[in-house]
Amino acid sequence: MVPRTLLLLSGTLALTQTWEGPHSLTYFHTAVHGPGGEGYRYTVVGYVDDSEILGFDSNTPRPRLQARMQWMEQLWEEQGDTPFWEEHTREIKLNEHISRDNLNRLRAHYNQSEDGSHTWQEMTGCVVRSKGSFLRGFSKFAYDGTDYVALNEDLRSWTTSASEISWNNVVRVPDADVRRVFLEDTCVHWLLQLLEKGKGTLLRADPPKTQVTHHPTSDHEVTLKCWALGFYPADITLTWQRDGEDLTQDMELVETRPAGDGTFQKWAAVAVPLGEEQRYTCRVQHQGLPEPLTLRWGEKRMWAQSLSSGCP
């Protein structure tokens, strides 16, 4: 987006020490060129931390910015077509045209036919500390899933991952200084006000529902799975231990996954000899827990909550 200093809410924002950070505002842009030039589509998704707050889809009957959370919908109803919504939509549509042009330029540069499907993606955002001061910013682009050009850490120049020295003659990206101002100023301003407006949802800490399940795999071995469901934010640590020693290299750990209801889920598994299950414990660390939780197969803990019968 082109940087602009916009006001989302009126009044002065007062940060407090209870805003544990860091916090981030991130925009994901994706432009797709369908086979034969058909099916061009441009989408944008905005996140504050792990929560999707807004979206845009060029394939809708009336493309415009859409709120993705109830408090954002209330903000829309309260403020209507204010500069925040109008300017976001205008800049998104401008970026849509630039992205389409970049796709066409790249296909021509690499001598690619109309028959293939190609994508041009952008991830841009800022991160603030607990007290609301700027911590870092980032902006990078990818073509067909491969990194193409990224803003350097000092936010003052671009570096390309492509082999061409003249990459800037192939694609259009914002001036580095313009993007830096957006990241350090406008993005931070929006993020802090979004955190204030949506603090009841964005700054919550839902503890995980946890349980260890037991799965025989042979006559002499079983698999223990440590489950964590329904937690927010997404940052969580599950670690299996044997007699108090970490088994990081010996356990199977899945990526944290969205549950579809605004919360997240995760599990970690370890294979253990049959009859030695009590030597193994799962340690769970999460912002919503008063202290790290230690789980053992068959052992109940005061704040450990049973999973639904749908879990294997």
Side-chain angles (χ1 to χ4, degrees), residues 124-140:
T124 294
C126 57
V127 183
V128 299
R129 299 180 178 88
S130 295
K131 294 184 179 181
S133 60
F134 176 80
L135 179 59
R136 64 180 180 273
F138 50 90
S139 186
K140 60 182 180 179

Side-chain angles (χ1 to χ4, degrees), residues 197-218:
K197 184 65 178 180
K199 60 186 175 183
T201 299
L202 299 174
L203 301 181
R204 74 188 194 280
D206 297 336
K209 303 177 179 66
T210 58
Q211 185 180 26
V212 172
T213 56
H214 187 276
H215 309 271
T217 55
S218 70

